Structure formats: structure tokens, C-alpha cells
Amino acid sequence: MKKVVILASDYCLYSGVASPMDMFMQVGITWNSFTGQMPSPFFDVKVATLDGQPVMAYNDIPITPHCSISEVDHADLIIIPSQGWITGGLR
């Protein structure tokens, strides 16, 4: 199983966390279904933050992580979501 970590931070775009999480969690199951195999996940997807504490996305939706980045012992892919911007710079 491949390990995917999404590193969330304050003011990140919520879609940059939720969309890849949904996609990677479903892709193995969907592929196995198409090929006539038993549906099973291909990716282990975790959301991490720097300290393991929740962060607030740019649109004020809280993101509760699975762990802190220091608890990640191995990752095949790390996704860093885009940061939200407003007029005059970072919120």
C-alpha cells in the first residue's frame, strides 16, 4: 500500500486537502472494481499538520489531522495544498 500524506496548514485551501484525500482513497477501490477484483484501497491517506493540532482552512473550515508531520515515518507522496490569498497578501 502506498502512503500519501497531505500537509495542511492554516489558511490552506480546503479543496487542496479534501479533493486529493477523496481521490486517493477511492482510486484503488474503483480500479479494482473495473478490473473485476475485490475492492480494496491502494493508498493509505493521512492528513498531517506541523504539530498535530487542527488548523483553519482559508474559508474558515477546520481541518482535524490524523497526526503531526513528525509522526510520519514514511511517505511515498507528500501533498502541500495551496495557500489562500486576499487583497493585500496572506490573510
Side-chain angles (χ1 to χ4, degrees), residues 25-38:
M25 290 179 80
Q26 288 298 313
V27 72
I29 294 168
T30 303
W31 177 256
N32 286 350
S33 177
F34 287 155
T35 60
Q37 300 175 51
M38 289 294 297

Side-chain angles (χ1 to χ4, degrees), residues 5-9 12 16-17 46-51 55 67-69 78-81 83:
V5 175
I6 304 169
L7 182 58
S9 61
C12 68
V17 175
K46 299 286 187 239
V47 175
T49 59
L50 289 179
D51 59 5
V55 294
C67 60
S68 74
I69 195 68
I78 297 175
I79 297 172
I80 301 173
Q83 291 296 116

Side-chain angles (χ1 to χ4, degrees), residues 3 6 11 17 23-25 27 31-32 38 42 48 53 57 62 67 69 73 75 77-78 83 85 87 90-91:
K3 292 188 176 188
I6 304 169
Y11 309 116
V17 175
M23 181 187 67
F24 280 105
M25 290 179 80
V27 72
W31 177 256
N32 286 350
M38 289 294 297
F42 185 72
Q53 296 300 307
C67 60
I69 195 68
D73 59 352
L77 176 65
I78 297 175
Q83 291 296 116
W85 291 87
T87 305
L90 192 58
R91 195 177 193 194

Side-chain angles (χ1 to χ4, degrees), residues 40-62:
S40 63
F42 185 72
F43 295 97
D44 175 22
V45 184
K46 299 286 187 239
V47 175
T49 59
L50 289 179
D51 59 5
Q53 296 300 307
V55 294
M56 191 65 70
Y58 178 71
N59 57 356
D60 294 326
I61 294 177

